[in-house]
Amino acid sequence: MMAPINEEREAAMPMPLTRRSFAGALGAAAGAALFETRPARAAVLAAVHRGAPDDAIVLSFNENPYGPSASALEAARRAANIGNRYPDAAEDDIRAVIAKHHRVSRDRVTLGCGSSEILQMADTAFTGKGKKAVAAEPTFEAVLDFARVLSAEPVKVPLTADFRHDLSRMAAACDASTGLVYVCNPNNPTGTIMTGDEIASFAASVPASVTILVDEAYHHFVEDSGYRTACELIDRHPNVVVARTFSKIYGMAGLRLGYAVGSAERIAAMAKYATFSNANAVVLAAARASLEDAELVPRVRKTMNDTRRWLVAEMKRQGRRTIPSETNFVMIDVGGDVTPMIAAFKEKKILVGRKFPSLPNWLRITIGKPEEVQAFAAALKEIAPAKPAAA
Ligand code: PLP
C-alpha cells in the first residue's frame, strides 16, 4: 500500500569499497559505528526509550518511523569523517541555503539544536520576569515551560470547541506586559490548523511590541488549501517569527536541527542566546542533503498521510471520534481516561502518547509504519472496546 521509504534507504546503504569509502572507513571508525547500516532494533529502542521492550512499537513522540533519507545519511557519514573540525563553514552554508529556500537574507535566519532551542531562545529574548507568555491549552508545552524557568507569567487560552486556537481570545490576552504569544500551527497535540487568513488577521490585531512565535514543526504534512506559512507575514509584521524543524518530515529528531525565520532585528535578539556551534557537522550535512532532495517531502508526506487516513477510517469503522489532523499524529476519543489505557498498551508493547490533562479521554497516536498503526488499531479494540452508539 505504502511507498517503501526505508527499504529504499536500506537498499542504498551497503557501499562498494571505492577509494572514497575506503578512505572514509579508515578515517572515521566512530562515524561508521554511528551510522551502521542496520542497527539492531534492540539497541535503537534502548537508546530511545529506556526500559522499553526490544520489539516495542513506538507511536509516542511524533517521530518519523522511516528516519533520515538515503542522501542525508550518506552526507552525514561523510561529515562525520571531518568531525574533528568546528563546523562554522557548514553552518554559514546551511543558513544561506535556508535563507534562499525562504527567499530572505541570511541575517533573517538563525539555527537551533532542534526547534526546542529556537523556542527557548525566543523565550529568553522576549519574556522574563514581569512579562507574560501567551499560548493555547493544550499545545506544545515547551514555550510555557521555558517561560516559567525565566520567571515569566504563563497565560493559557483554551482551544475552541473544535480544538483550534482561539485566536481572538489569545489576541485579547496580549497587552503591554506580554513578551511573546505562541501559535502552534498545526497544533500539537490536536493536529488542527489555523488558516493563512486567520493568522494574518491575528498578526494585525496583536500589538507590534509582542513577538508572535509561530511554530510550524508539522508544516510539511499539511494538505488543507486554506493553510499558509506565516513566513509570508514577516515583511508586513516584523514581530512574527517562524520556527521550523528537521525532526519531523525529514526524520532527523535524534540528530537535532531547527531554525527560525524572522525580521533581522528579532532574529538578532534571539541569536544572542544560541550556544556556539549549536548545530553539529553531521546534522548540518544531513539537513543540507535533505533540502536538496526535492522528492523527499512529497514522498514522506504522502506515505504518512495515507497511513493517517487509514487509521482515521479504521477509527470510524470502530465507531470512534477523531480530531481532524493535518499532521503525523491523530487524537482519538477512547471514551474514558487514557491513563490506564496507556499502561495497557505498554503491556502489549505499544508506546502511545501521554495524557493531556485538558483532554483526558483523547489518546494521541503518532503515525508509524502501516503495520505498526494496524497493530495499534487491533489492540485498541481489546483495551477499550467502542461503546455501541446510542439508538
Ligand atoms: N514544536 C512542536 C510543535 C513539537 O511538537 C516539537 C516536538 O515534538 C518541537 C517543537 C520540538 O522539536 P525539535 O526540538 O525536535 O525540533
Side-chain angles (χ1 to χ4, degrees):
M1 173 171 76
M2 306 297 167
I5 288 179
N6 69 324
E7 279 164 35
E8 170 202 304
R9 184 180 103 216
E10 285 170 5
M13 295 297 252
M15 290 196 308
L17 198 62
T18 59
R19 212 145 55 102
R20 198 188 64 201
S21 67
F22 180 57
L26 277 181
L34 265 176
F35 298 103
E36 78 191 275
T37 51
R38 283 177 182 271
R41 188 165 163 74
V44 172
L45 280 172
V48 174
H49 296 284
R50 207 168 293 134
D54 292 354
D55 50 351
I57 293 175
V58 183
L59 305 176
S60 43
F61 287 132
N62 301 344
E63 296 154 338
N64 169 342
Y66 300 105
S69 69
S71 61
L73 285 176
E74 172 59 25
R77 195 185 291 111
R78 269 187 270 120
N81 289 353
I82 50 165
N84 55 319
R85 302 291 177 192
Y86 288 108
D88 300 18
E91 197 177 304
D92 286 349
D93 191 49
I94 196 125
R95 275 178 67 205
V97 171
I98 292 169
K100 195 169 165 212
H101 184 76
H102 289 285
R103 298 196 194 90
V104 297
S105 52
R106 223 184 277 201
D107 57 352
R108 292 178 55 181
V109 175
T110 192
L111 304 179
C113 178
S115 58
S116 301
E117 191 189 12
I118 294 295
L119 307 186
Q120 186 178 26
M121 284 155 62
D123 265 326
T124 315
F126 308 123
T127 74
K129 201 166 169 48
K131 291 276 192 185
K132 288 184 200 152
V134 176
E137 167 60 27
T139 193
F140 187 64
E141 276 285 319
V143 157
L144 293 188
D145 288 344
F146 294 136
R148 285 186 195 97
V149 171
L150 295 163
S151 305
E153 183 192 337
V155 178
K156 292 183 172 195
V157 178
L159 299 178
T160 55
D162 58 354
F163 306 102
R164 301 167 73 239
H165 281 59
D166 193 336
L167 290 182
S168 48
R169 284 190 60 198
M170 288 177 76
C174 292
D175 58 22
S177 66
T178 306
L180 183 144
V181 59
Y182 173 73
V183 178
C184 190
N185 196 33
N187 189 40
N188 179 8
T190 53
T192 46
I193 56 143
M194 305 307 294
T195 66
D197 289 350
E198 287 168 328
I199 300 279
S201 29
F202 176 70
S205 65
V206 167
S209 58
V210 177
T211 297
I212 303 172
L213 179 59
V214 184
D215 185 340
E216 296 184 346
Y218 301 96
H219 163 86
H220 300 95
F221 295 101
V222 180
E223 292 172 324
D224 188 304
S225 59
Y227 169 89
R228 293 194 304 275
T229 174
C231 287
E232 64 181 39
L233 298 174
I234 297 169
D235 286 340
R236 216 174 330 141
H237 301 287
N239 54 329
V240 170
V241 173
V242 175
R244 291 279 183 94
T245 182
F246 285 88
S247 296
K248 305 301 174 181
I249 208 138
Y250 295 108
M252 295 176 14
L255 295 183
R256 316 299 302 135
L257 187 66
Y259 66 89
V261 182
S263 60
E265 177 234 334
R266 302 275 161 154
I267 290 295
M270 288 168 61
K272 281 193 295 194
Y273 298 103
T275 317
F276 288 150
S277 294
N278 60 354
N280 66 74
V282 168
V283 78
L284 289 168
R288 183 168 182 169
S290 301
L291 288 175
E292 281 167 358
D293 179 353
E295 296 301 307
L296 191 160
V297 167
R299 185 177 69 230
V300 181
R301 175 168 51 224
K302 175 158 189 352
T303 302
M304 294 189 71
N305 286 358
D306 280 351
T307 309
R308 189 191 67 227
R309 279 185 270 275
W310 179 88
L311 177 62
V312 168
E314 171 61 17
M315 292 301 100
K316 200 170 173 200
R317 282 191 288 275
Q318 291 188 15
R320 303 177 200 274
R321 289 193 302 159
T322 53
I323 298 177
S325 169
E326 292 282 332
T327 62
N328 65 332
F329 54 88
V330 63
M331 285 287 248
I332 300 164
D333 181 354
V334 287
D337 188 341
V338 295
T339 307
M341 296 184 200
I342 292 170
F345 275 107
K346 199 167 180 186
E347 285 290 305
K348 289 182 178 291
K349 302 184 185 178
I350 300 175
L351 307 183
V352 295
R354 69 175 177 88
K355 177 173 177 172
F356 293 89
S358 56
L359 296 174
N361 293 0
W362 293 85
L363 189 60
R364 192 192 66 191
I365 295 300
T366 299
I367 301 306
K369 294 180 181 174
E371 63 275 19
E372 295 173 329
V373 168
Q374 283 157 14
F376 159 78
L380 179 60
K381 275 194 206 165
E382 291 170 26
I383 290 170
K387 296 186 185 79

